[in-house]
Amino acid sequence: DYPPHIHSLKTLAARSGVVFPVELKAFVHEMSGLSIPTRYEDEVRNINRAQARQVLSKTRRVFKWLGHQLK
């Protein structure tokens, strides 16, 4: 079976049973709202360099946390 075409990180987490800690949960939900607009050129939001660095830093924290959950 192919995985469903879902862009919502909140839905994917719920379906997979992943429960993010409070300090990451809000960010993951925020990222769901950013994923679609950045895919389509005419809907790209203006994100400055500082905001991009902050998102990248938080995203790395999420990946690190997920990596520890898989061990």
Side-chain angles (χ1 to χ4, degrees):
D1 291 340
Y2 288 97
H5 296 280
I6 299 172
H7 294 289
S8 168
L9 297 176
K10 181 179 178 180
T11 302
L12 288 170
R15 284 186 172 201
S16 65
V18 173
V19 179
F20 289 101
V22 174
E23 65 271 11
L24 298 178
K25 187 175 183 176
F27 173 71
V28 171
H29 292 179
E30 177 187 343
M31 288 307 297
S32 282
L34 293 175
S35 66
I36 298 299
T38 59
R39 292 177 148 244
Y40 304 102
E41 195 173 316
D42 58 332
E43 296 184 29
V44 174
R45 296 180 187 170
N46 291 326
I47 297 176
N48 65 40
R49 191 175 292 259
Q51 290 169 318
R53 282 189 186 118
Q54 184 179 21
V55 167
L56 180 58
S57 175
K58 287 181 181 180
T59 301
R60 285 181 174 143
R61 287 178 41 206
V62 170
F63 274 111
K64 185 176 180 178
W65 181 86
L66 284 170
H68 287 294
Q69 302 309 302
L70 296 173
K71 290 182 181 182

